[in-house]
Amino acid sequence: MISRDWMEAPMHRDDNPDVSTRYAAIGHRVQWAIGWARGALLLACLCLPVLAQAANRPTVLVMGDSLSAAYGLAESQGWVALTAARIARTHPGWSVVNASISGETTAGGASRIEAALARHAPSVLVIELGANDGLRGLPLAQSRANLERMIVAAQAAGAKVLLVGMRMPPNLGRTYTEGFAGNYAALADEHGLAFVPFLLEPIATDRDAFQADNLHPVAAAQPALRDHVWPVLAPLLD
């Protein structure tokens, strides 16, 4: 099953797209009377077995940007939802939570990671962040530190981590573009992560694979992204 973490990840329009055009895509208070409190306590006790069962479900938590939030599409069409459907068939009992936010940066992810881990206790964390950092020209060291904070926190919580990378177009300069891609590879190597170097690799040069903004993949391209990530994700579910 897949769920959208609405409290953590409100959907909104992305004014800072995730890839460059140089790629074809790249309460009021509740007052409890004593009687109500007792009733609520009884109800909570009755629900404990159900809640415990839900809490024991292994979970994949995805923290990404608009590329994982199915920007411009129905959520069910995005690669995360398609992956969740495959997981439901191949690994019954697992759940998928999509906490991706359009426009998210690595700083946003780092600021949310502790609460997300505490709330969902994921067995697997998928991190797909960084493109918005690159498009804004944020310092590479800052982006790397943010990603590393997420990775270290997840591993300390007992979660396996899949790092999904992005690439920047050459117009940002060779030093920056190589350093940007290098951040992901270095972090994956240093922390022993499952690693997909470039999410959009299967479709990056196909203009028809992108929406009118020339930035976000169309629905028809989402299965290719799912299939690109799957061989790296699937072993983490065993």
Side-chain angles (χ1 to χ4, degrees):
M1 60 177 288
I2 183 170
S3 62
R4 160 63 69 179
D5 190 348
W6 295 112
M7 291 181 66
E8 281 189 20
M11 293 292 292
H12 58 82
R13 292 195 63 82
D14 188 355
D15 295 326
N16 296 285
D18 300 298
V19 292
S20 167
T21 54
R22 289 298 302 273
Y23 289 115
I26 301 245
H28 59 205
R29 297 180 180 176
V30 178
Q31 301 295 332
W32 289 97
I34 294 177
W36 281 107
R38 288 175 177 171
L41 179 60
L42 176 60
L43 179 61
C45 290
L46 291 174
C47 291
L48 279 177
V50 176
L51 294 175
Q53 182 179 10
N56 289 332
R57 290 173 62 89
T59 299
V60 176
L61 174 63
V62 182
M63 297 184 69
D65 48 40
S66 62
L67 294 174
S68 296
Y71 177 86
L73 309 173
E75 186 177 355
S76 61
Q77 296 177 307
W79 75 267
V80 175
L82 297 178
T83 298
R86 178 172 287 178
I87 288 174
R89 296 192 303 270
T90 61
H91 295 76
W94 280 75
S95 64
V96 177
V97 175
N98 190 358
S100 301
I101 304 177
S102 291
E104 183 73 296
T105 61
T106 60
S111 71
R112 294 193 293 132
I113 187 62
E114 297 290 352
L117 292 172
R119 184 177 184 186
H120 301 293
S123 299
V124 177
L125 173 67
V126 178
I127 302 173
E128 181 274 302
L129 289 170
N132 287 311
D133 294 44
L135 293 176
R136 297 171 186 177
L138 297 182
L140 295 175
Q142 178 181 329
S143 296
R144 175 169 175 161
N146 291 333
L147 289 170
E148 189 159 38
R149 176 180 171 183
M150 298 181 71
I151 293 164
V152 170
Q155 291 184 328
K160 301 174 185 178
V161 178
L162 167 55
L163 183 62
V164 179
M166 277 296 297
R167 292 179 185 167
M168 288 293 104
N171 62 295
L172 293 178
R174 181 174 180 179
T175 298
Y176 192 88
T177 56
E178 290 185 354
F180 183 88
N183 268 350
Y184 294 102
L187 286 169
D189 182 64
E190 181 177 346
H191 294 280
L193 310 179
F195 182 41
V196 175
F198 183 27
L199 175 63
L200 301 178
E201 184 173 358
I203 63 170
T205 60
D206 181 4
R207 176 62 187 88
D208 292 337
F210 293 87
Q211 299 175 39
D213 62 8
N214 200 34
L215 299 168
H216 296 90
V218 297
Q222 298 294 323
L225 302 184
R226 173 202 60 197
D227 293 345
H228 183 49
V229 173
W230 182 254
V232 186
L233 173 61
L236 303 181
L237 308 178
D238 296 328

